[in-house]
Amino acid sequence: MSVNTAGTDRIARRYAKAFLTLAEESHADFATIQKYFNKALELFTYEESAKLLNSPVIPSAIKRDIIFTYLKEAASDNLFRQLIETVIAEGRITHMPGIIAAFHNLLNEKEGTVQVEVTTATKLSDADRQTLTDVLKKSVIKSKNINLVEVTDPKIIGGLIVKFKNSVVDLSLREKLDQMSRASVGIL
């Protein structure tokens, strides 16, 4: 079975765009919305709750209860509640992680912020984070606003992998070792 990711992305982006428009019209607090979205995303990272929310046999009312029990403070936010109700009623809850990602991307575009994911073997120090942000702003991304998302993956051994927009710059030690391995295969 293949997954139509282009269709899924289109659906998620359409919902995110509509929600962003509603949020702008109602002068919503985007920081609060992002907090709700980040918390909602947690539900899709926990295996048990993800199974329940993605299951076609679980009634909509139970899915709604799961979300608003976990997101107690969001239950009173009419705009956020309206989005969740609509997504569940339309049978699109499986698209929620994509909707959240698309919303973050649209909001970043609106604010002129470039989201950059940096993978390192160990957590960056504050000084390293600032240096990396400054270098990216001046030479690679050329944007005043960079949202640096850090990912720690010991498998890369050292160095870093930088992902932004449609680009990936792999400066990891793992990649260098793999390149050397591939090159040595040709020599032997």
Side-chain angles (χ1 to χ4, degrees):
M1 182 178 123
S2 66
V3 177
N4 179 359
T5 56
T8 300
D9 291 347
R10 260 194 324 272
I11 291 167
R13 188 168 170 85
R14 192 171 62 224
Y15 276 88
K17 196 171 183 178
F19 185 70
L20 179 62
T21 301
L22 287 172
E24 288 174 328
E25 289 171 357
S26 65
H27 305 288
D29 177 18
F30 288 111
T32 302
I33 290 171
Q34 287 188 304
K35 183 178 82 172
Y36 294 159
F37 272 150
N38 291 338
K39 189 114 169 122
L41 196 55
E42 291 174 7
L43 285 170
F44 290 90
T45 60
Y46 301 133
E47 187 177 343
E48 293 303 315
S49 58
K51 280 182 187 176
L52 292 170
L53 291 170
N54 290 322
S55 173
V57 297
I58 301 295
S60 297
I62 292 176
K63 292 178 182 184
R64 209 173 7 264
D65 289 346
I66 290 169
I67 291 171
F68 289 118
T69 298
Y70 190 71
L71 291 160
K72 288 181 181 89
E73 69 276 9
S76 61
D77 185 305
N78 289 334
L79 186 63
F80 189 78
R81 186 173 196 77
Q82 180 183 355
L83 172 68
I84 297 300
E85 297 279 350
T86 302
V87 168
I88 290 172
E90 296 296 323
R92 302 290 194 188
I93 194 68
T94 58
H95 295 276
M96 201 62 198
I99 293 168
I100 293 168
F103 180 83
H104 287 312
N105 290 340
L106 288 168
L107 190 57
N108 284 339
E109 285 174 22
K110 176 185 176 312
E111 295 174 345
T113 300
V114 176
Q115 183 160 324
V116 178
E117 180 180 296
V118 178
T119 304
T120 55
T122 59
K123 188 169 172 41
L124 289 172
S125 69
D126 290 340
D128 288 341
R129 187 178 310 104
Q130 187 59 53
T131 300
L132 178 61
T133 301
D134 291 343
V135 167
L136 289 170
K137 281 181 181 178
K138 290 177 187 170
S139 62
V140 180
I141 298 180
K142 297 180 179 144
S143 174
K144 291 180 184 177
N145 302 319
I146 292 179
N147 179 20
L148 198 64
V149 177
E150 293 181 55
V151 176
T152 304
D153 182 359
K155 290 183 225 154
I156 73 165
I157 304 171
L160 55 114
I161 301 170
V162 180
K163 297 178 185 176
F164 60 97
K165 294 185 181 177
N166 294 327
S167 301
V168 177
V169 180
D170 191 339
L171 303 172
S172 67
L173 184 54
R174 167 81 324 181
E175 177 60 19
K176 300 290 184 222
L177 292 171
D178 288 347
Q179 287 174 358
M180 290 171 52
S181 175
R182 287 189 298 269
S184 68
V185 169
I187 294 172
L188 298 176

